[in-house]
C-alpha cells in the first residue's frame, strides 16, 4: 500500500491523549487552566504563558514522573492502532509538542515512536524544578512550524499534521495537509481553518488514507 504522506506529525495533549499535561501538573489551578485554554484557542501567544505557568507550578521530577503515568493511562481510543498502521505502511511518525519531554518519552516508547520533539525541564539534584530549555522553538509562537520545516528539510516526501490547538494550526503552512482533531476538545479556530477535521482517530485514519 502506498501512503500519500511520507511524514505524519502528531500533537500530543488533547490529540493522542485525553489530558493537558500542564493542567494536570497544576492540579486544576483555574488561572493556569485559563492561560492554557487562551493559548490553545489562539487568544494569547504561547510565549506569554509558557514560562509563567511553569514558574507558578514549579513541578518536581516526581511530579513529572507521575504525569508520564497519567499520559500512559489517557491514550485516545485508536491511537496505537493508527500509529502502528502508519509505520507499517512506511510513514515516519513524529510527535511535536510543547509538553515536557521527560513525561512524553514513556508515551512515545509505548507507541513505538522514535521521533519526539518536546521541551526538556531541568531539575536540581533533589528533584526541585530549576528551568526549561529556553532554546526550544516549541516554547514560542510558530515553534511547531519551525520543527516541521527542519524535519522536512532533511526528509523528502509529503507531510501531514494532526492537532487540536492553535499552536498546531501554526504548522499548517509547513505541511501538505493539516488535520484538525476534535475528539478531546473542539476549538473553533482549528475547525474553521483546518484542511480537514476529524472527531475520532478512525476519522484521522481515513484522512491519512491508511
Amino acid at each position: 500500500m502506498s501512503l500519500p504522506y511520507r511524514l505524519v506529525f502528531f500533537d500530543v495533549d488533547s490529540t493522542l491523549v485525553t489530558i493537558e499535561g500542564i493542567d494536570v501538573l497544576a492540579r486544576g489551578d483555574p488561572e493556569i487552566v485559563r492561560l492554557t485554554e487562551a493559548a490553545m484557542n489562539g487568544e494569547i501567544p504561547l510565549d506569554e504563558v509558557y514560562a509563567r505557568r511553569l514558574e507558578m507550578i514549579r513541578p518536581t521530577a516526581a511530579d513529572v514522573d507521575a504525569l508520564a503515568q497519567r499520559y500512559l493511562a489517557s491514550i485516545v481510543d485508536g491511537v496505537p492502532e493508527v500509529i502502528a498502521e502508519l509505520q507499517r505502511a512506511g510513514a515516519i511518525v513524529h510527535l511535536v509538542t510543547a509538553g515536557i519531554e521527560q513525561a512524553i518519552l514513556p508515551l512515545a516508547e509505548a507507541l513505538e515512536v522514535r521521533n519526539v520533539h518536546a521541551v526538556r525541564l531541568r531539575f536540581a539534584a533533589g528533584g526541585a524544578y530549576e528551568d526549561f530549555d529556553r532554546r526550544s522553538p516549541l516554547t514560542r509562537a510558530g515553534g511547531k512550524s519551525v520543527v516541521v520545516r527542519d524535519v522536512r528539510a532533511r526528509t523528502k516526501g509529503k507531510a501531514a499534521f494532526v492537532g487540536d490547538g492553535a499552536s498546531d494550526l501554526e504548522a499548517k503552512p509547513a505541511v501538505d495537509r493539516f488535520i484538525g482533531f476534535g475528539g478531546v476538545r473542539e476549538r473553533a479556530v482549528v475547525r474553521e481553518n483546518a484542511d480537514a477535521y476529524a472527531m475520532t482517530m478512525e476519522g484521522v485514519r481515513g484522512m491519512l488514507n491508511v
Side-chain angles (χ1 to χ4, degrees):
M1 178 176 63
S2 178
L3 279 176
Y5 305 106
R6 170 72 167 154
L7 292 162
V8 182
F9 299 91
F10 285 94
D11 175 43
V12 175
D13 294 37
S14 295
T15 298
L16 298 184
V17 296
T18 60
I19 59 174
E20 288 286 337
I22 195 74
D23 293 344
V24 171
L25 290 174
R27 295 176 172 83
D29 182 300
E31 175 62 10
I32 293 171
V33 171
R34 184 189 69 79
L35 290 171
T36 301
E37 278 300 294
M40 290 301 97
N41 288 322
E43 296 162 10
I44 52 177
L46 185 61
D47 323 42
E48 292 186 19
V49 304
Y50 202 89
R52 183 177 168 190
R53 291 180 306 182
L54 283 171
E55 194 56 42
M56 290 168 71
I57 300 168
R58 299 193 65 81
T60 64
D63 292 335
V64 172
D65 288 342
L67 174 59
Q69 295 306 308
R70 282 288 300 276
Y71 274 134
L72 291 169
S74 305
I75 297 172
V76 167
D77 288 346
V79 162
E81 293 81 4
V82 170
I83 288 180
E85 287 183 27
L86 283 167
Q87 295 189 138
R88 279 197 300 269
I92 303 170
V93 174
H94 288 253
L95 307 188
V96 185
T97 173
I100 295 166
E101 182 183 89
Q102 291 98 321
I104 299 290
L105 287 175
L107 173 68
E109 183 176 357
L111 296 173
E112 298 185 5
V113 176
R114 296 181 181 179
N115 306 296
V116 179
H117 312 269
V119 182
R120 190 160 190 83
L121 298 192
R122 189 172 74 242
F123 300 101
Y129 172 75
E130 285 192 333
D131 205 353
F132 62 93
D133 179 5
R134 292 178 181 265
R135 300 167 301 172
S136 172
L138 292 166
T139 64
R140 301 185 290 276
K144 292 187 179 182
S145 180
V146 171
V147 169
V148 169
R149 290 183 190 281
D150 180 61
V151 171
R152 296 198 72 183
R154 293 178 279 110
T155 308
K156 293 182 179 179
K158 288 189 173 184
F161 196 111
V162 182
D164 74 292
S167 63
D168 304 311
L169 191 61
E170 290 173 344
K172 180 182 174 182
V175 294
D176 299 287
R177 193 177 203 196
F178 180 87
I179 300 170
F181 183 69
V184 178
R185 298 296 301 272
E186 284 193 73
R187 305 184 195 279
V189 66
V190 177
R191 185 176 61 248
E192 292 163 9
N193 292 282
D195 296 314
Y197 199 76
M199 295 298 294
T200 64
M201 275 296 145
E202 186 62 31
V204 170
R205 182 205 307 260
M207 291 169 185
L208 293 173
N209 293 340
V210 180

